[in-house]
Amino acid sequence: MNTKEQKLEAFGRLLDIMDDLREKCPWDRKQTLQTLRHLTLEETYELSDAILKEDLQEIKKEMGDVLLHLVFYAKIGSEKGAFDIADAINSLNEKLIFRHPHIYGDVEVKDEEEVKKNWEKLKLKEGNKSILAGVPKGLPSLVKAYRIQDKVKGVGFDFANELDAWKKVEEELDEMKAETAPGKKEEELGDVLFSLINYARISGMNPDTALEKTNAKFISRFQKMEQLAAERNLNLAELSLDEMDRLWDEVKKSNG
C-alpha cells in the first residue's frame, strides 16, 4: 500500500490535472455545476454496482471517477470565489471532530447505537431544525424511507424488536387488502412498503441491497430463458405464459 506521502502526492497530481483540463480542454471548460450533476449521479450508481458485486478493482476505478467529480466541483467553486477543495476538506474535518466527542472530547459511549443518537443530537445543535432535515429530497424512495427510519431511530422513535415491526407489516397488509378505493389503495400500498423497509432495517437487512440483488437475479434468469428459447428456435413473445413458466423453472433448476 502507498505511504501517506504518496497518497498526498497522487492527490496533488489530480488537482494539477484538473487545473490543466479546466484551462485547455473544450469539454471540461464548458462544464458547470448543473451539467455535471446528472453525470455525478451516474458515476455514483456505477460505484454502487461495483460495491454490490464486491469487485475491488471496479470499486477502485469507480471511486476515482466519483473523486474526479468532487475535485471538479471544488475547482468550479474556486473559480466563483466561493470555496476550494481545502475549504471543503477543512469543513469536513471540523464536522467530524465535532460529531465525535467520544473520540475528540470527554464523552463516553457504550456502543454504536449511542454514537448514532449523539450524532443526531449534535446535528440539531449545528442548526438543523428537524432530525429529518438532512434527508435529501432527491433520494430514491426506497433509500429515502430507510434513511428516514434510521434517523428517527436516533431519538428512540422505533419498534422495540423485529417481531413488533413484522406485526405492523401484517396490519398494513390487511388494511391494503380491505381498501377498495384506487387512490386510497395506493396510499395503503405505500404504507405496506414503508413497513416492510422498516422490518428489513430492524432485522439487519438493507432493503435496497436486497431488491437490487433480486433485480440482478431476475435479469440473469430472464436472459438465460431468452437464450434457452433461442437455442430451441422458439420465439419468446409467441409462447404462452405456461410455456414461459416452464422455461423459467428449467433455468431456476439449473441454478440460473
Side-chain angles (χ1 to χ4, degrees):
M1 291 289 100
N2 292 292
T3 64
K4 185 174 183 179
E5 289 73 20
Q6 288 170 322
K7 294 172 186 176
L8 291 172
E9 182 182 351
F11 189 66
R13 186 176 176 217
L14 173 59
L15 296 179
D16 290 340
I17 292 171
M18 185 74 256
D19 288 343
D20 287 341
L21 295 179
R22 190 64 172 168
E23 179 185 350
K24 301 171 185 176
C25 174
W27 187 88
D28 289 279
R29 259 200 326 262
K30 188 179 178 182
Q31 300 314 304
T32 67
L33 297 174
Q34 295 302 323
T35 61
L36 286 171
R37 178 182 171 276
H38 75 282
L39 298 174
T40 305
L41 291 173
E42 184 179 319
E43 296 295 356
T44 303
Y45 278 114
E46 287 178 1
L47 173 59
S48 174
D49 288 345
I51 292 171
L52 283 172
K53 295 174 187 172
E54 296 191 15
D55 185 335
L56 295 181
Q57 290 305 308
E58 193 66 16
I59 290 172
K60 178 186 73 174
K61 170 182 170 292
E62 298 301 342
M63 276 180 61
D65 291 342
V66 172
L67 179 57
L68 170 63
H69 280 243
L70 301 182
V71 169
F72 212 145
Y73 290 126
K75 177 64 178 175
I76 295 172
S78 68
E79 292 168 355
K80 294 177 178 292
F83 63 88
D84 62 17
I85 192 67
D87 294 321
I89 293 172
N90 285 331
S91 176
L92 172 62
N93 290 341
E94 293 305 317
K95 180 170 70 175
L96 289 173
I97 290 170
F98 177 74
R99 292 187 186 176
H100 289 80
H102 54 290
I103 303 295
Y104 300 103
D106 55 6
V107 173
E108 293 185 6
V109 294
K110 61 183 179 182
D111 55 25
E112 173 199 357
E113 290 307 316
E114 204 164 307
V115 170
K116 290 173 75 173
K117 287 181 180 179
N118 285 343
W119 181 280
E120 295 301 340
K121 291 174 185 175
L122 289 167
K123 287 176 75 173
L124 289 175
K125 284 185 180 180
E126 290 174 341
N128 287 343
K129 291 184 172 62
S130 167
I131 290 291
L132 300 177
V135 179
K137 292 183 175 66
L139 277 180
S141 298
L142 192 153
V143 178
K144 187 188 292 185
Y146 186 94
R147 291 296 293 135
I148 288 169
Q149 295 164 3
D150 197 44
K151 280 184 171 292
V152 298
K153 176 188 176 183
V155 292
F157 191 66
D158 201 8
F159 287 104
N161 52 58
E162 60 186 81
L163 178 60
D164 287 348
W166 182 252
K167 287 178 181 176
K168 184 63 175 175
V169 173
E170 293 179 327
E171 176 189 320
E172 296 294 356
L173 275 169
D174 288 341
E175 289 180 9
M176 188 185 77
K177 289 176 185 175
E179 186 56 65
T180 56
K184 286 292 293 180
K185 201 168 188 72
E186 181 184 63
E187 183 179 324
E188 295 297 345
L189 173 61
D191 291 345
V192 169
L193 294 173
F194 194 85
S195 60
L196 270 172
I197 292 165
N198 216 10
Y199 170 75
R201 179 186 57 80
I202 291 172
S203 302
M205 298 178 285
N206 187 303
D208 184 64
T209 301
L211 182 58
E212 191 53 40
K213 286 181 178 179
T214 293
N215 289 340
K217 180 171 65 177
F218 184 92
I219 289 170
S220 174
R221 286 179 177 174
F222 192 84
Q223 289 176 339
K224 286 178 182 176
M225 189 172 78
E226 289 176 315
Q227 182 181 350
L228 198 59
E231 288 171 358
R232 297 175 184 177
N233 295 317
L234 300 172
N235 185 334
L236 206 60
E238 295 177 355
L239 299 180
S240 68
L241 181 57
D242 285 342
E243 290 170 324
M244 284 191 280
D245 277 341
R246 284 195 288 272
L247 285 177
W248 180 266
D249 289 339
E250 196 173 331
V251 168
K252 283 181 65 176
K253 287 176 184 176
S254 66
N255 298 318

